[in-house]
Amino acid sequence: MGLREVVVTGAFGFVGRAVAKRLLDRGFDVRTLTNHAGREDPFRGRVTAAPLDFRDPKALARSMRGAATLFNSFWIRFPRRGRTYEGAVERSRILFEAARSAGVRRIVHTSIANPDPDSPLGYYRGKAQVEVALRESGVSHAILRPTFFFGEGDVLLNNIGWLVRRSPVFLVPGSGRYRVQPVFVGDYADLAVRLLEEDGDAVLDAVGPEVFAFDDLVRAIASAIGRRVALLRVPPPLALAATGLVGLAVRDVVLTADEVRGLRGDLLVSKGEPTCPTRLTDWLRENAAHVGRRYASELGRHFDGAFV
Ligand SMILES: NC(=O)c1ccc[n+]([C@@H]2O[C@H](COP(=O)([O-])OP(=O)(O)OC[C@H]3O[C@@H](n4cnc5c(N)ncnc54)[C@H](OP(=O)(O)O)[C@@H]3O)[C@@H](O)[C@H]2O)c1
């Protein structure tokens, strides 16, 4: 078995890309499972790709054979076009079983802060179920629970910037005083690589050092990119109706009702200590020129083709 061989889901995407980059920098051999092998390849052929096709667990296992570890980020942001959270849980189970049968000895898994098997929110409930499936797989594992990411290629923070660049008014659902604790994707990759190299089961929130009220986060983004924006607190259904109209224009789902509920329920903040060092405030100072220049489409990235 190649101890330096790692399988990374979605290495041409967002989180997987950051992790694959760190691994390559540290001399690991990286393969990826993805249904977007045709995407722009930032690694110039150094990462070989196989399909992330759950219909053929044996092929999935074959594509992991010989690797010591798996970094997993597979999930869906919201149900649509035949994709469901239940389907994503089942596919995660298939992936873990395929990894086990391929001889993978350790899995570092991307969950979410505050997963809850009893949550009314399918995202958080499903993530809790996937954690159970991972524990039941019997493979040594580390579970990382991020809140929400910032970094090159992110969707949510970028799209707040995109809205702020285009509109003098920003509709805030509800009070805006619910909190968020963003985490830098590069720090997340460092943490993931460290945990890939360690032994022993672990569960850890992956969170940065700053906690913002949501409205302060929007102000921080606006100020960093040099825009003045008036924040208007509105009932959540109105904010969702407005983002729905934006969604029609950009052909995307900008924000879901469950995401608003998660935000207002303070689920994007950790109850533990920060585990990642980069402050969003510092990152914005360096990177604001790029934030929100182009809209980042979730449907464009992840909802083409069939759910295989
Ligand atoms: N973005 C955030 O702020 C945030 C916050 C907390 C937790 N997370 C978690 O972080 C992980 C990675 O998120 P990400 O945004 O960076 O995603 P990503 O890396 O672009 O995608 C992760 C993997 O899931 C697959 N995937 C994603 N959406 C899919 C869909 N709708 N249908 C089928 N396959 C799909 C991708 O397939 P391809 O390789 O084919 O693209 C890729 O292999 C997820 O587990 C997510 O729950 C994200």
Side-chain angles (χ1 to χ4, degrees), residues 53-64 94 97-99 101:
D53 186 340
F54 300 97
R55 294 169 301 188
D56 189 351
K58 285 193 180 136
L60 210 48
R62 264 196 310 279
S63 52
M64 287 189 268
I94 291 170
E97 177 49 32
S101 74

Side-chain angles (χ1 to χ4, degrees), residues 67-88:
T69 48
L70 165 68
F71 169 81
N72 175 41
S73 60
F74 169 72
W75 190 242
I76 61 167
R77 193 176 130 204
F78 43 73
R80 200 171 166 102
R81 295 186 188 157
R83 290 154 170 84
T84 61
Y85 291 128
E86 293 76 16

Side-chain angles (χ1 to χ4, degrees), residues 7 42 52 56 59 76 95 111 144 182 186 205 231 240-241 249 258 270 272 295:
V7 176
L52 183 57
D56 189 351
I76 61 167
L95 179 66
S111 186
L144 283 174
D205 280 359
L231 300 192
L240 280 164
D258 274 10
S270 169
Y295 182 81

Side-chain angles (χ1 to χ4, degrees), residues 233-254:
R233 289 178 183 77
V234 296
L238 186 55
L240 280 164
T243 50
L245 288 177
V246 176
L248 284 178
V250 293
R251 298 193 184 164
D252 193 25
V253 175
V254 178

Side-chain angles (χ1 to χ4, degrees), residues 9-10 13-16 33-36 39 52 73-76 83 110-112 123 127 146-149 302-303 307:
T9 54
F14 174 54
V15 170
L33 296 171
T34 179
N35 293 318
H36 289 90
R39 253 184 207 144
L52 183 57
S73 60
F74 169 72
W75 190 242
I76 61 167
R83 290 154 170 84
T110 306
S111 186
I112 185 83
Y123 192 112
K127 283 282 193 182
T147 41
F148 99 94
F149 289 112
H302 289 133
F303 285 79
F307 195 26

Side-chain angles (χ1 to χ4, degrees), residues 193-210:
V193 171
R194 198 186 88 209
L195 288 162
L196 278 166
E197 290 179 292
E198 285 180 3
D199 292 321
D201 296 345
V203 184
L204 191 66
D205 280 359
V207 285
E210 291 179 306

